[in-house]
Each structure stands twice: as structure tokens, then as C-alpha cells.
């Protein structure tokens, strides 16, 4: 019998609800989250912001300076630095209408959305995601449990973003082993980076969509005194079940040839009858005839027919009687068995044109303040986010059926939901000493408390209360005109404590620390970057008497593990007459197994898997090589990159071939060698004929293979030559324009049919190719210092049935169908991070 707790079904529908921070008490086993408490702190802060707003308006300092920004269609991203970092600024982010971080970045070459339904998606960089792609908030790692469970989103307010930096390839020298496949650094507006021109800046946005619900957001920034700046903002989003162009299940779900593992992933019951061809067997077993009714032998009529002409009974050779149904002379290739499918039914009823359980409700509030001087800045930011959303899948639980007899239990299927609460606070400081040797010193700290719950319908089956503290310090060094460096240390501690008899991870504690340096030597036209990092990682399980493990490997002995990791990177860049470049890069990166990879051992409802860790797993390491080149002449930019990464002890969640009641596949974490290789191509052209008239074009293509290079026969049998759920090759184009008061953009992406298929014991089916078209058109009106922008945007305008090959849920649900949104945004000039201040 499973103990369940009933949750409130709906989020509190109070716009910008004033809930805030919870205090953690440190115990001998880690950090424990108390009950969520609503605080009135922001009410006083709001009054302070209002008072300063009135004071600023009385000064009526109107800014007459207009910044003219040419739009690049790099939507797709601006490559900068050592050509391995892509930066999306605020304007570019607003062109991509998306609810998740993975979807927001999916137009960048080499980056796809690891979609887990419409409400959860993280960036997949060169086929890697989760615990191999570090997600950072303003340079600090966040309490991101998406690496443990893909239904859990990184906790960001998508309307509060300032810019995003995407690092493709191993970036572990800067950010540690979790960046073995790349990193995404999300910078927001919560901690003001500069003083506000005109004394106050504000924006309000409202949007309504035909297939995306409605959303609202607010943000205010105001100067306080001579050196202070205050920010407050919030958002709300809600939608019901989303529309799709056809059936929610893939056609393979109703194909009589579907294998039993794919049927489990597609959540269908297949009524099969196996008919034995009795005319192929010349004999009947005398032993079976004599013992058919003896329960000690467990024999059935299927055991009666045989090709052997004798049986051994009590040590004697006894002739078998002939089978009178036998027909001689048949084709030797005639199958012994024939399967007849009488019907296929869904675990739970689904409706054509509707994605089941795809609802969502999210709300967030953030507040921050900064003290800014010429060579010193310090700021504090506070965050609170609540979300409740569905996963388009179902899982089995037992429900009591009451009658006059004692209570009985019957299995039913309930929709899978996720409820998350996150509360965080972040401190950032930067100091610029008046010395050439040390231009800047940074110190950052982030604390976060999260409460993540998995629900079956309204019943809670898993709850994880997690706490994380991270600190990072960097020193920028300038040894000479041609030699510079950045060096630093970082440390984090994370504790996860759970509730629920069917949770899949025991209570655990992780400690991670590292020291690093990245040196740059530049003699034009050559620049060299060399970096090194050393990490210490500790994983511990905590006392947890209520935790119940599964029948599988289930984390072994839950042993304490300690890892020492070394990272190295080096690249050389040669500039060709200021119009082009070539670059070669080598990196060595190492990653410690995560707590789920070591200790998991129970039903993981969100991914419909009985997940089994292995506490004996060794660290994962990768050696990567990358060669790139590009041209930048006038408004034309072209670049090409080829990369190869060789992984030793690549950790993956492997099939065992077993499944449990309710459709739970039994999987376990294993390690073997893997090679990842691919290409990325990008090109863009910008043409401007006036300060308020310009157009930009962009095109890209990418390809990636994640290939098995081990001699592991188990992996070849279960997963095949390529990892299953590999992202497909694709190409796309984008255009952005501005003409006087009009601005618009369009993106077209073509996803090809996968040729490099893995296995789920059986060969995985290839999803059909598809094309996605998105567009946006806006009209801007300026009234004194206020800007009013009206816009209409659309996603999946072709209304195609799109099933990403890299989605675990591709058999259960496609991407949402066509959506048309209309909205309005009112804003005053917003502070820019580059306006002469030392950004954090």
C-alpha cells in the first residue's frame, strides 16, 4: 500500500502574490526546508519604489538620447570572445516566443530543446543535456534538479532576462565538471547593473494567445539617492490543455507490429494472442503427457509439442508418440509462432486534437537593490517562483474501492503533474582597484531553497526539499599589454531530503569545490588561451529510515564517494587581416556521477522508469578537439565548426529489457565509451539603408552523432550503435527587419528524419521530418519618453505534427499546434548593462 498526500489542484491564482523567503536550519544531516511562509517584505519595498518613482517624476529629467540598434538575425546568436561563446541580448530574446529555456535557445546552431512536454525543456548542446550542461544564474550554479528529473524546469522568470551566454563544448575550466558538455549562463535584471537614466525605468507587458493562454509581467527600476538603484518585477502565466494538429500518440502506438517496450513508452495495452503452429512439430513429449497435471513441474500444453523423438524418464530413453497434427514437407522458414493482435487500448482516454495534461500555471516575483560607485558595486537580489504544470503522460496507482466487504484496491492511471516552489537570494559585488595588475575583483554568493513534487492527479508520490549554497570569487589579472588572466575559486553545497514511500532517491548531500585559472596571451594576429581547473567532489547519502528501495540494483550499498577532477583547455586563434579567423581547440574534462546516477533506486514517475543507480560508478572523462573558421567582412559573417569528443566511462541510463506493472521500464545507470562528433555552419548578412531601416538574414545547419565505441555487448544489445533519442540534423533561416515604426522577424527550421538510430532493445522508430515556422510583427509608438509596442506573433504557423526525435515523450505527445498571440508592451528606456559601469 502506498501512502499518498492530496495536494491542492490549482496554483494560487493571485497575480504577483507576495510570498517570500523561508529560513533553513542547518542540522547534522544538511539543510531542511521549513513550511512555505508568506512575507510582507515586498510590500514595504513596493512603497519605497513608489515613493522614489514620484520623486523621479517631479524631476522630469527626460532622456533625449536614442540608441539605434541594428537587429542581427542571430536569433540565433552573436559569437564573441574565443568563438565558442554565443550571446543573446535582450532584443534577441524577445524575438523568440518561448516558455522554457530549452525552447528559447533552440534556434542556435548546435543547441536543441530537450523537451519533456510543453512546460519543461532544457538546452541540449551537441546531444548532451541535464547533468552535462551547467545552467547558471548570473555566473553561479543554481539548484537545478532538471539533471536528475527532466520534468523539473530550471527556475527562471523568462520575462526578467537581460541576456544569455551559451558555451558550446566543454567549459569545465570555468564552471566545473557539470559543464563537460557546455554551459548556459542566464543573466537577469533583478540586481541592477547601472544607474537609471532619467531616474526611473518601467515596463508592463500583457499577451494573449490562441494556444498559449495568457501572461502578464511588470518591472520597475528607480534610482535611490546618489548611488542606489532598486528593482522590482513579477510575472504570471496560465493556460489549459494545448491544442495539437492530430492524435496525441504517434502512429506507432497503434501499429499491431509495435514491440512491448515501445508499447510501454507509448502507454498502450496490446491485446496479443500467440498462436503456435502445431503442424510443425512431429512429436508429443511423453514426459509432459505423464506430468502435465502435476503442479510440481509447472507444465502447460505449450510444452507438449517437440522436435525430439524421445524423452528421458527416470533415466531411461522413452520414445515420444507422433503428433497427428504434423504436416511434413513444409517450408523450413515457416515461423513456429504467429502473433494476432485483437486490439490496442490507451492506458487512459485521450482526445484527438488535444494534448492531455498539458496545463500550466506559473508566477514569479523578484526584487533587488544595488549600490553603484565608479569602481565598486554591490547588489542583492531576491527571487520567488511557483509553478504547477502537467506532463502529457499517466502512471498507475492503487485506488481504494469501498463496498460491503473489506476495502479492496484496484489499479488506475492518473495524470502526472509537477508542483515546484523556489526561493533564492543572490549577492554580487565587483571592485576595480586602481592598479593595472588587478583590474577587477568579483565576489558572488547564491542561496536557494526548492520544494519539488511529483503528483499523480492530486496525490503526492514524491517530494524533494533541496537547499543549495554557492560562492564564487574571480580576480582579473593584467600582467602586461599582451598577457592577461582570470583566476578564481568556487564552492557549493547541496542537500536533498525527500518524502514519500515511492521516492527514487534517498536523502543526500553533495559538496563541490574548485580552483581555476584561464590565461590569455595575445600577439596580433595570434591569441592563445590556456586554462586549468582542479575540483573536489563529495557525494553522501544521509540517514533515511523511511526510504524503500526497488528490487533492482537500487544504488548498491549507497556508499560514500569522493572524486578528484582535473580539467584542461587550450586554443589558438589566428586572425586573418581582421576579416576572418581560424581556431583550434583542445579540452580535457572530467565529471563526477550525480546523486541519481549513484543512488537512485525506485519508481521515477515523471519519466515512467524504475531508475537504478550504481554507487560503484567511476568518474566520466572526455577529450575534445574542435576546429573552426570564419569570415567577417562588412555585413557578411560566415563560420564553420567541426568537433569530436571522446568519452571514457560515459554514463547513460540503460535498458534491462524488463518492465514492471503499470508500464515502468526497468533501467540502470551504466558506463561505457562514446564518441560525439558533428558539424555546425552559420551565416548572416546585415544591410542598413538608414538609421531606422535595416534588414538582417541568418542561416544555419548542424549535425551530431553520439556513437558507441565500446566493446560492451550489453550496450550493443540494448542501445545499439548510437544513443537513442539523438537529436536530428536540421537547417534553418531567419530574417529580422526594421522600417520606421515597424519591426518584425521570422524563423524557419527544418528537422530531418533521423538516420542514426539507437535501440530500446528493439530499433527505435524514426519520427517523420517536420518544419517549424514562427514569425512576429510589431508596431511602436513613442509618446514623450514612453514607448508603446503592439505586436502579433505566431508559433508553428504551419500547424504540423512535430515529434522531436530527442524527446523522451515523442510517442505520447507532439509539440503544440499553431498559436497566434497578440500583445502590448509599455516601457520607458531600460538600463543597459554596458552603459559605462562595471557589470557583474
Amino acid at each position: 500500500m502506498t501512502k499518498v498526500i492530496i495536494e491542492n489542484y490549482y496554483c494560487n491564482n493571485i497575480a504577483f502574490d507576495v510570498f517570500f523567503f523561508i529560513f533553513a536550519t542547518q542540522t547534522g544531516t544538511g539543510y531542511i526546508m521549513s513550511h512555505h511562509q508568506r512575507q510582507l517584505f515586498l510590500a514595504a519595498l513596493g512603497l519605497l519604489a513608489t515613493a522614489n518613482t514620484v520623486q523621479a517624476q517631479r524631476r522630469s529629467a527626460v532622456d533625449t538620447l536614442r540608441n539605434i540598434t541594428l537587429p542581427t538575425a542571430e536569433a540565433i546568436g552573436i559569437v564573441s570572445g574565443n568563438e565558442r561563446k554565443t550571446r543573446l541580448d535582450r532584443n534577441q530574446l524577445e524575438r523568440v516566443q518561448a516558455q522554457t529555456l530549452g525552447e528559447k535557445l533552440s534556434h542556435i546552431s548546435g543547441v536543441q530543446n530537450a523537451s519533456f512536454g510543453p512546460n519543461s525543456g532544457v538546452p541540449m548542446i551537441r546531444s548532451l543535456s541535464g547533468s552535462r550542461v551547467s545552467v547558471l544564474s548570473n555566473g553561479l550554479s543554481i539548484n537545478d534538479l532538471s539533471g536528475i528529473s527532466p520534468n523539473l524546469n530550471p527556475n527562471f522568470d523568462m520575462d526578467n532576462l537581460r541576456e544569455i551566454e551559451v558555451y558550446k563544448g566543454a567549459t569545465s575550466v570555468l564552471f566545473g565538471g557539470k559543464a563537460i558538455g557546455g554551459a548556459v549562463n542566464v543573466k537577469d535584471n533583478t540586481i541592477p547593473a547601472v544607474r537609471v537614466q532619467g531616474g526611473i525605468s518601467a515596463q508592463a507587458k500583457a499577451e494573449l494567445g490562441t494556444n498559449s493562454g495568457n501572461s502578464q509581467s511588470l518591472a520597475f527600476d528607480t534610482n535611490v539617492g546618489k548611488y542606489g538603484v532598486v528593482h522590482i518585477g513579477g510575472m504570471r502565466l496560465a493556460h489549459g490543455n494545448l491544442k495539437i494538429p492530430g492524435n496525441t500518440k504517434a502512429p506507432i502506438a497503434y501499429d499491431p507490429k509495435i514491440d512491448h517496450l515501445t508499447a510501454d513508452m507509448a502507454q498502450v495495452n496490446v491485446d496479443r494472442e500467440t498462436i503456435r503452429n502445431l503442424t510443425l512439430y512431429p512429436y508429443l513429449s511423453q514426459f509432459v503427457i505423464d506430468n502435465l497435471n502435476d503442479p510440481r513441474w509447472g507444465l502447460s500444453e505449450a510444452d507438449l509439442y517437440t522436435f525430439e523423438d524421445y524423452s528421458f524418464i527416470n533415466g531411461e530413453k522413452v520414445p515420444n508418440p507422433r503428433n497427428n497434427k504434423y504436416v511434413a514437407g513444409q517450408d523450413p522458414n515457416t515461423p513456429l509462432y504467429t502473433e494476432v493482435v485483437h486490439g490496442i487500448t490507451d492506458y487512459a482516454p485521450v482526445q484527438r486534437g488535444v494534448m492531455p495534461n498539458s496545463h500550466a500555471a506559473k508566477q514569479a516575483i523578484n526584487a533587488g537593490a544595488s549600490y553603484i560607485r565608479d569602481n565598486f558595486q554591490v547588489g542583492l537580489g531576491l527571487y520567488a517562483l511557483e509553478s504547477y504544470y502537467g506532463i502529457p503522460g499517466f502512471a498507475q496507482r492503487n485506488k481504494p474501492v469501498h463496498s460491503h466487504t473489506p476495502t479492496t484496491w484496484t489499479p488506475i492511471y492518473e495524470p502526472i503533474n509537477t508542483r515546484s516552489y523556489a526561493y533564492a537570494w543572490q549577492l554580487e559585488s565587483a571592485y576595480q582597484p586602481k592598479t593595472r595588475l588587478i583590474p577587477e575583483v568579483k565576489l558572488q554568493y547564491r542561496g536557494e531553497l526548492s520544494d519539488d513534487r511529483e503528483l499523480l492527479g492530486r496525490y503526492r508520490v514524491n517530494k524533494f526539499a533541496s537547499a543549495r549554497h554557492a560562492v564564487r570569487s574571480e580576480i582579473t589579472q593584467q600582467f602586461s599589454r599582451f598577457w592577461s588572466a582570470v583566476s578564481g575559486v568556487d564552492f557549493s553545497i547541496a542537500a536533498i531530503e525527500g518524502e514519500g514511500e515511492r521516492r527514487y532517491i534517498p536523502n543526500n548531500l553533495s559538496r563541490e569545490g574548485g580552483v581555476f585559472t584561464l590565461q590569455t596571451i595575445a600577439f596580433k594576429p595570434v591569441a592563445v588561451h590556456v586554462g586549468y581547473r582542479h575540483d573536489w567532489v563529495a557525494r553522501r547519502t544521509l540517514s533515511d529510515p523511511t526510504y524503500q528501495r526497488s528490487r533492482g540494483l537500487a544504488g548498491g550499498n549507497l556508499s560514500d564517494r569522493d572524486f578528484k577532477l582535473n580539467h584542461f583547455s587550450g586554443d589558438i586563434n589566428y586572425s586573418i587581416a581582421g576579416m576572418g579567423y581560424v581556431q583550434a581547440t583542445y579540452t580535457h574534462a572530467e565529471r563526477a556521477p550525480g546523486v541519481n546516477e549513484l543512488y537512485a533506486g525506485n519508481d521515477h514517475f515523471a519519466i515512467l522508469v524504475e531508475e537504478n543507480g550504481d554507487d560503484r560508478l567511476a568518474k566520466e572523462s572526455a577529450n575534445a578537439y574542435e576546429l573552426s573558421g570564419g569570415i567577417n567582412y562588412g555585413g557578411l559573417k560566415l563560420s564553420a565548426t567541426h568537433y569530436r569528443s571522446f568519452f571514457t566511462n560515459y554514463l547513460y541510463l540503460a535498458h534491462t529489457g524488463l518492465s514492471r506493472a503499470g508500464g515502468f521500464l526497468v533501467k540502470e545507470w551504466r558506463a561505457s565509451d562514446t564518441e560525439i562528433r558533428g558539424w555546425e555552419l552559420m551565416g548572416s548578412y546585415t544591410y542598413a539603408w538608414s538609421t531606422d531601416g535595416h534588414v538582417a538574414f541568418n542561416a544555419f545547419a548542424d549535425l551530431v552523432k553520439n556513437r558507441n565505441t565500446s566493446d560492451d555487448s550489453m550496450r550493443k544489445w540494448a542501445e545499439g550503435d548510437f544513443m537513442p533519442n539523438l537529436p536530428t540534423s536540421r537547417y534553418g533561416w531567419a530574417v529580422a527587419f526594421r522600417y520606421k515604426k515597424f519591426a518584425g522577424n521570422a524563423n524557419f527550421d527544418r528537422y530531418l528524419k533521423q538516420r542514426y538510430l539507437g535501440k530500446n532493445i528493439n530499433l527505435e522508430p524514426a519520427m517523420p521530418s517536420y518544419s517549424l515556422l514562427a514569425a512576429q510583427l510589431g508596431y511602436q509608438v513613442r509618446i514623450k519618453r514612453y514607448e508603446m509596442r503592439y505586436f502579433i506573433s505566431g508559433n508553428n504557423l504551419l500547424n504540423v505534427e512535430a515529434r522531436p526525435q530527442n524527446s523522451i515523450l515523442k510517442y505520447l505527445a507532439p509539440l503544440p499546434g499553431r498559436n497566434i498571440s497578440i500583445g502590448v508592451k509599455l516601457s520607458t528606456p531600460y538600463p543597459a548593462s554596458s552603459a559605462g559601469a562595471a557589470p557583474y
Side-chain angles (χ1 to χ4, degrees), residues 696-711:
F697 301 94
N698 190 97
F700 80 96
D702 56 23
L703 173 150
V704 63
K705 302 178 186 178
N706 189 316
R707 188 171 64 91
N708 176 18
T709 57
S710 69
D711 293 326

Side-chain angles (χ1 to χ4, degrees), residues 437-455:
L437 181 61
I438 303 178
E440 188 173 51
V441 179
K442 293 182 180 180
L443 177 64
Q444 299 171 281
Y445 161 76
R446 181 181 176 91
E448 185 170 357
L449 302 175
S450 297
D451 180 335
D452 297 292
R453 309 177 185 190
E454 288 183 0
L455 315 176

Side-chain angles (χ1 to χ4, degrees), residues 583-657:
Q583 178 169 300
T585 303
Y586 166 77
T587 59
H588 172 81
E590 299 178 347
R591 182 180 72 90
V595 292
N596 60 321
E597 295 164 325
L598 293 172
Y599 303 130
N602 216 323
D603 291 343
H604 190 161
F605 284 87
I607 60 175
L608 304 170
V609 162
E610 180 190 300
E611 183 177 353
N612 290 280
D614 186 346
D615 62 355
R616 301 166 299 175
L617 290 172
K619 65 183 179 183
E620 179 181 273
S621 63
N623 292 304
Y625 307 86
E626 186 173 317
L627 181 63
S628 60
I631 296 173
N632 186 351
Y633 181 75
L636 178 66
K637 293 182 180 180
L638 301 172
S639 67
T641 301
H642 176 62
Y643 58 88
R644 298 183 68 178
S645 300
F646 299 90
F647 280 80
T648 302
N649 292 325
Y650 180 86
L651 303 180
Y652 66 103
L653 192 56
H655 285 275
T656 63

Side-chain angles (χ1 to χ4, degrees), residues 314-329:
N314 296 325
E316 296 184 3
K317 192 173 182 180
V318 178
N320 284 330
R322 296 189 65 84
N323 173 19
N324 58 10
K325 298 179 181 179
Y326 174 69
V327 176

Side-chain angles (χ1 to χ4, degrees), residues 152-174:
L152 300 176
N153 252 328
N155 295 316
F156 292 112
D157 175 357
M158 302 300 288
D159 288 309
N160 189 38
L161 303 184
R162 173 161 49 96
E163 68 177 32
I164 298 179
E165 296 173 336
V166 180
Y167 298 81
K168 292 187 285 187
T171 320
S172 55
V173 167
L174 286 177

Side-chain angles (χ1 to χ4, degrees), residues 81-84 520-529 570-585 626-632 638 640:
N82 63 351
E83 309 303 334
R84 302 181 68 229
T520 299
I521 299 176
F523 287 102
K524 289 186 177 181
V526 177
V528 177
H529 305 83
D571 65 65
I572 181 169
N573 182 295
Y574 182 79
S575 177
I576 305 173
M579 296 186 299
Y581 73 94
V582 291
Q583 178 169 300
T585 303
E626 186 173 317
L627 181 63
S628 60
I631 296 173
N632 186 351
L638 301 172

Side-chain angles (χ1 to χ4, degrees), residues 240-314:
N241 287 340
L242 301 177
K243 292 176 287 187
I244 53 178
N247 288 322
T248 184
K249 301 282 183 75
I252 185 65
Y254 306 109
D255 189 334
K257 298 179 182 179
I258 188 173
D259 64 86
H260 74 282
L261 288 177
T262 305
D264 286 340
M265 290 186 287
Q267 297 200 330
V268 292
N269 296 305
V270 183
D271 182 9
R272 303 179 193 268
E273 180 184 3
T274 301
I275 301 175
R276 201 172 186 185
N277 190 346
L278 303 182
T279 66
L280 295 174
Y281 299 89
Y283 302 101
L284 303 177
S285 170
Q286 186 63 51
F287 176 82
V288 175
I289 294 173
D290 295 342
N291 297 279
L292 183 62
N293 297 319
D294 189 339
R296 295 177 300 171
W297 295 102
L299 298 171
S300 68
E301 188 176 352
D303 301 308
L304 187 61
Y305 299 90
T306 180
F307 291 98
E308 303 295 333
D309 58 357
Y310 59 86
S311 298
F312 283 99
I313 302 176
N314 296 325

